[in-house]
Amino acid sequence: MGKARPRCTLVSLLFLLYGHGIMMTKVEATSKVHIVYLGEKQHDDPILTTNSHLDMLASVVESKEMASELMVHSYKHGFSGFAAKLTESQVQKVAQLPGVVRVIPNSFHKLQTTRSWDFLGLSSHSPVNALHNSSMGDGVIIGIFDTGIWPESKAFSDEGLGPIPSRWKGACEPGKQFDPKIHCNRKIIGARWIIDGMLADYGQQLNTSGNQEFLSPRDANGHGTHLASTAAGAFVDNVSYKGLGLGTARGGAPRARLAIYKVCWSVFGGWCSAADVLKAFDEAIHDGVDVLSLSLGLPPPLFSDIDKRGGIDFGSFHAVAKGITVVCSAGNDGPSAQTVLNAAPWILSVAASTIDRAFPTAITLGNNKTFLGEAIFTGKEIGFRSLIYPEAKELNPKPPGACEYLSVNASMVAGKVVLCFTTVTVVPAAIVLSAAEVVKEAGGVGLIVAKNPSNDMYPCTNGFPCIEVDYEIGTRMLYYIRSTSFPVVKLSPSKTIVGKPVLAKVAHFSSRGPNSKSPAILKPDIAAPGVNILAAASPLDTFQDGGYVMHSGTSMAAPHVAGIVALLKAIHPDWSPAAIKSALVTTAWTNHPSGFPIFAEGSPQKLANPFDFGGGIANPNGAADPGLVYDMCTADYINYLCAMDYNITAISRLTGLPTVCPYEELSILDVNLPSITIPNLRNSTTLTRTVTNVGSSNSIYRAVIEPPFGTIVSVKPNVLVFNHKTKKINFTVTVTTAHQVNTGYLFGSITWTDGVHTVRSPLSVRTEILQPYISEN
């Protein structure tokens, strides 16, 4: 008889607080920051634990004074360990000390970069929605791990807010141009800056990188300010970006409180030390946050769930174990497959979508034909001017008409508008901005960029018009240029349209599944607005206008979901992170309210599937009343780790507790997720799920099955009857394939409905008759 699986109540992860100051001491050039993991903490007294860490390090570096200088962080909340700057020889000595489980090198995360809330059904003018039912998130505390905050922004006014929640244990830390007495209030209730890990490995003052930075919670980059205001910004009237998108700006949970953890710094465009990220988790858990929003991550290959170098997976496990929902961006490496980040099952990973808003920009040719491009062009109309395309004169691997290699001079383009074509599928903003600068410096008056269709845009500097069109329109313009001796064009300022006929899509840059680390775990989980999001900015952001700016990225999508989670937490304070994720996934939109399906940008554009947007685009009002949820606790995540066949010692390192996996073989397919992904179906497989009724006590749900093409799907039982005694019900799903060939993924769904609620789980199946690897058996 196998040992019983661990119960949720048996897992107890305790967290305490320890702070560490800025380390500016010069140390040996060959030393690097390493994280020393010691397993479960041995003391409840943080001072004793800190001293034990210093004593251990001192035994290697020969003095407690040197140990204090080398120590970067001491981790106290749920696991014991420290980060220190060590040479390779010191690493080897530390690794041999009694009690040391593992010593790993530090790693770095990169940043992932007001119509959206109305689009999501959270209009402030509607008296019946999740925004009002939650009192706008009042009392919920959202933690932001990013580049800090610009506290003077109107978005962070505390007008109308009550006292700071009494359970809050956090702090506002002083620093350069940041005075807690002035810059913290009843909205910004916590502000920490954590930099020791970055400084120790970077080895020089941050401002030498060429970017202004503040050794304080103040945001020089603007990324963190944008995210914080998106999640929980106050109402600010008459906000626009140079006249576009005019309206009232606010966050998803306007009455929620903000706790800022500045862990990312102006180094190479914005980097964050894993040692600092772990310390931020350590502090945030102790401080008492309810939700964490992280818009950062490491590109593939992904670290395993149990590898502390990843930082986010490791720290978020401990946060979720304490009931904190951790929301992360899914990454900006789409539309390629298997690029999704932050893929642990306890994390809520967010893809980016567009919204029902566009900025059409009229382009009128001399033949009186008008085309609509998209731009953020708010300057004066450019009357009819010459239109040129830089033709190649000879064979050239870098054609002059390609936007990436645009080659023009003043005699060629002065006073003219230039058309160029991109030669890459995914067009970074830098290509458009660079091409615009080339044209502008040569005396040109405008740029038209023909590219793969997508909706994310960046304004060019000083109102210079750079208008984006797709290849079809660009080609028609090129034919016009080649067909006339004197081609001319007129560029009109952009306009704002919302609602029909604009349909939301998954953004082309949004990273896609399947999950490269664990294909049976669907990632991303959900999608949310992340394209041309108007939110607060740092005045140092070169694109800001009146304290606000439009940015795009899954970075912008994650705080949308963090704001929604805050509303759900206010309505359902007893829901676990897994229940909240389930509510979002099973109620998400897969079609527009008009009935049209949601597409995903790419080459070509296609119908969106679960690897593009998980359950769909977040539906906050539906998630507030999902009917059923697929709940999980720490023990379930431990079973997942066992099913992944991770080393028992490594699992124990992650949990901070001795762990024993069950003798019976566990299947990843049985992890109680609100989705089902079968990456290697051969003939037939059966899996289990458990649903918990969070709706009316007496209710009956019936299964509605949409099987993937060529499969037979059955559910037993196919009717679930709940009453005041029966709150949870198990069911099995059997999927059988008729295919005798290897296929790509095919998609369907399993939906439970009681006539009021629709609880939909995406189903993804790939048939693999011939396995791509050789079994060890």
Side-chain angles (χ1 to χ4, degrees):
M1 180 177 178
K3 292 187 178 179
R5 298 185 184 187
R7 291 186 175 274
C8 301
T9 53
L10 296 180
V11 181
S12 177
L13 300 176
L14 302 178
F15 296 82
L16 299 172
L17 173 68
Y18 174 74
H20 196 77
I22 295 300
M23 188 189 80
M24 301 297 289
T25 307
K26 192 79 172 178
V27 297
E28 186 179 338
T30 57
S31 59
K32 296 291 183 182
V33 174
H34 286 73
I35 299 169
V36 181
Y37 183 71
L38 304 174
E40 189 175 3
K41 64 186 178 65
Q42 302 299 313
H43 305 285
D44 288 333
D45 186 332
I47 297 176
L48 288 178
T49 310
T50 298
N51 288 337
S52 70
H53 292 168
L54 288 170
D55 289 341
M56 177 176 287
L57 186 56
S59 70
V60 172
V61 300
E62 300 179 352
S63 76
K64 203 160 186 176
E65 290 74 18
M66 180 59 71
S68 295
E69 291 186 8
L70 294 176
M71 185 81 75
V72 176
H73 295 302
S74 180
Y75 304 116
K76 314 308 300 171
H77 309 316
F79 60 92
S80 179
F82 59 89
K85 198 158 189 183
L86 303 170
T87 65
E88 284 303 315
S89 62
Q90 290 169 342
V91 167
Q92 295 175 14
K93 291 178 182 178
V94 170
Q96 295 171 3
L97 293 175
V100 173
V101 178
R102 193 179 183 198
V103 182
I104 55 178
N106 190 25
S107 57
F108 293 88
H109 297 274
K110 187 163 178 49
L111 295 172
Q112 302 294 328
T113 296
T114 333
R115 168 70 185 169
S116 57
W117 294 113
D118 286 352
F119 164 70
L120 292 174
L122 294 179
S123 170
S124 60
H125 302 296
S126 172
V128 184
N129 60 24
L131 180 67
H132 291 284
N133 294 341
S134 66
S135 298
M136 302 188 186
D138 196 10
V140 178
I141 302 168
I142 302 175
I144 306 287
F145 289 11
D146 213 87
T147 61
I149 194 164
W150 197 268
E152 290 85 358
S153 172
K154 293 179 182 179
F156 308 122
S157 167
D158 65 355
E159 184 179 350
L161 293 181
I164 294 172
S166 59
R167 59 191 170 84
W168 176 244
K169 301 182 201 174
C172 284
E173 298 174 350
K176 184 179 181 181
Q177 294 188 34
F178 195 94
D179 182 346
K181 295 180 180 179
I182 298 172
H183 298 126
C184 284
N185 55 19
R186 289 169 297 171
K187 168 62 77 173
I188 305 172
I189 64 173
R192 299 186 184 273
W193 52 295
I194 304 170
I195 193 175
D196 290 3
M198 175 63 74
L199 285 181
D201 269 344
Y202 188 53
Q204 55 184 301
Q205 295 290 338
L206 292 191
N207 285 354
T208 62
S209 66
N211 297 307
Q212 184 172 356
E213 187 52 279
F214 302 97
L215 293 179
S216 76
R218 184 170 291 279
D219 183 9
N221 180 292
H223 195 264
T225 298
H226 197 277
L227 306 192
S229 67
T230 299
F235 287 87
V236 182
D237 293 329
N238 298 316
V239 171
S240 71
Y241 186 70
K242 300 182 178 180
L244 295 177
L246 178 65
T248 298
R250 64 175 176 87
R255 297 183 66 83
R257 314 307 172 93
L258 285 166
I260 305 302
Y261 300 86
K262 183 175 178 179
V263 295
C264 301
W265 301 86
S266 296
V267 177
F268 308 123
W271 283 86
C272 332
S273 161
D276 293 341
V277 170
L278 276 173
K279 184 61 177 175
F281 274 113
D282 212 33
E283 301 285 11
I285 293 166
H286 173 272
D287 291 347
V289 302
D290 299 301
V291 188
L292 283 172
S293 182
L294 288 78
S295 291
L296 45 120
L298 289 166
L302 306 182
F303 287 113
S304 73
D305 300 293
I306 56 173
D307 195 324
K308 203 171 182 181
R309 285 176 294 178
I312 295 175
D313 288 353
F314 198 99
S316 63
F317 178 90
H318 291 278
V320 170
K322 297 298 287 185
I324 301 167
T325 299
V326 180
V327 182
C328 293
S329 56
N332 296 334
D333 294 315
S336 299
Q338 297 183 322
T339 53
V340 66
L341 309 180
N342 299 315
W346 47 84
I347 291 175
L348 184 48
S349 306
V350 187
S353 75
T354 65
I355 60 175
D356 60 344
R357 179 179 66 190
F359 304 109
T361 307
I363 304 170
T364 305
L365 302 181
N367 59 8
N368 209 29
K369 290 185 178 180
T370 298
F371 298 96
L372 288 180
E374 273 210 272
I376 303 176
F377 169 42
T378 57
K380 294 181 178 179
E381 178 179 275
I382 305 296
F384 280 104
R385 301 293 185 93
S386 294
L387 174 63
I388 69 161
Y389 171 72
E391 299 273 10
K393 304 298 184 183
E394 56 189 21
L395 184 62
N396 187 343
K398 296 182 178 181
C403 302
E404 301 91 304
Y405 316 117
L406 196 60
S407 177
V408 296
N409 55 50
S411 62
M412 180 192 302
V413 304
K416 301 176 183 178
V417 175
V418 177
L419 170 68
C420 70
F421 284 73
T422 64
T423 60
V424 293
T425 303
V426 179
V427 183
I431 289 180
V432 177
L433 298 179
S434 175
E437 284 301 311
V438 169
V439 174
K440 185 178 177 182
E441 288 179 6
V445 296
L447 174 70
I448 300 172
V449 176
K451 58 191 277 288
N452 186 53
S454 66
N455 287 83
D456 59 308
M457 298 170 295
Y458 282 84
C460 291
T461 56
N462 299 320
F464 187 80
C466 46
I467 303 171
E468 299 176 14
V469 298
D470 63 24
Y471 287 130
E472 178 185 348
I473 292 176
T475 300
R476 294 175 69 178
M477 290 182 178
L478 179 59
Y479 289 171
Y480 162 72
I481 292 172
R482 290 173 173 171
S483 67
T484 183
S485 300
F486 301 102
V488 293
V489 66
K490 179 175 69 175
L491 308 179
S492 300
S494 305
K495 299 185 181 299
T496 303
I497 60 171
V498 296
K500 294 180 181 180
V502 184
L503 296 178
K505 301 182 285 290
V506 177
H508 76 97
F509 58 76
S510 187
S511 289
R512 309 300 212 264
N515 183 343
S516 63
K517 177 166 61 178
S518 180
I521 305 298
L522 177 64
K523 291 290 173 176
D525 294 297
I526 199 77
V531 176
N532 301 329
I533 302 302
L534 182 61
S538 162
L540 302 180
D541 187 324
T542 56
F543 292 109
Q544 69 88 24
D545 175 57
Y548 280 77
V549 71
M550 282 186 182
H551 282 316
S552 298
T554 55
S555 281
M556 286 68 237
H560 274 88
V561 172
I564 295 168
V565 169
L567 302 182
L568 298 179
K569 195 74 175 174
I571 298 171
H572 304 287
D574 58 335
W575 277 11
S576 70
I580 289 173
K581 178 197 283 191
S582 174
L584 284 164
V585 172
T586 61
T587 62
W589 293 321
T590 56
N591 291 315
H592 296 276
S594 61
F596 284 96
I598 294 171
F599 280 75
E601 294 178 342
S603 294
Q605 201 171 113
K606 64 180 181 65
L607 287 174
N609 64 51
F611 296 144
D612 300 314
F613 63 3
I617 296 177
N619 171 13
N621 295 317
D625 182 23
L628 305 176
V629 296
Y630 295 82
D631 205 358
M632 287 196 287
C633 66
T634 305
D636 296 295
Y637 297 125
I638 292 174
N639 286 335
Y640 156 77
L641 297 171
C642 291
M644 284 287 287
D645 203 26
Y646 289 131
N647 179 277
I648 295 296
T649 303
I651 296 174
S652 298
R653 286 199 302 261
L654 173 65
T655 63
L657 294 168
T659 301
V660 177
C661 289
Y663 286 123
E664 67 266 24
E665 185 176 353
L666 299 175
S667 171
I668 296 177
L669 298 180
D670 291 330
V671 177
N672 201 41
L673 295 169
S675 57
I676 298 172
T677 306
I678 305 174
N680 47 8
L681 178 64
R682 302 182 72 182
N683 299 319
S684 181
T685 192
T686 298
L687 54 95
T688 62
R689 287 291 187 273
T690 302
V691 285
T692 302
N693 182 21
V694 294
S696 174
S697 296
N698 297 307
S699 51
I700 300 174
Y701 284 82
R702 291 177 169 79
V704 177
I705 300 171
E706 294 183 18
F709 177 80
T711 66
I712 300 170
V713 180
S714 62
V715 176
K716 293 183 180 179
N718 61 4
V719 177
L720 306 179
V721 181
F722 295 93
N723 54 45
H724 69 282
K725 291 184 178 180
T726 304
K727 299 291 186 182
K728 295 177 181 284
I729 297 179
N730 300 330
F731 64 91
T732 63
V733 178
T734 300
V735 182
T736 304
T737 180
H739 299 302
Q740 291 302 310
V741 295
N742 287 11
T743 69
Y745 278 95
L746 302 165
F747 305 100
S749 64
I750 296 173
T751 302
W752 293 102
T753 180
D754 64 350
V756 177
H757 303 94
T758 300
V759 189
R760 180 184 181 276
S761 291
L763 173 59
S764 311
V765 177
R766 179 175 63 184
T767 300
E768 282 198 345
I769 303 303
L770 179 65
Q771 299 294 319
Y773 54 86
I774 299 174
S775 173
E776 295 178 357
N777 298 322

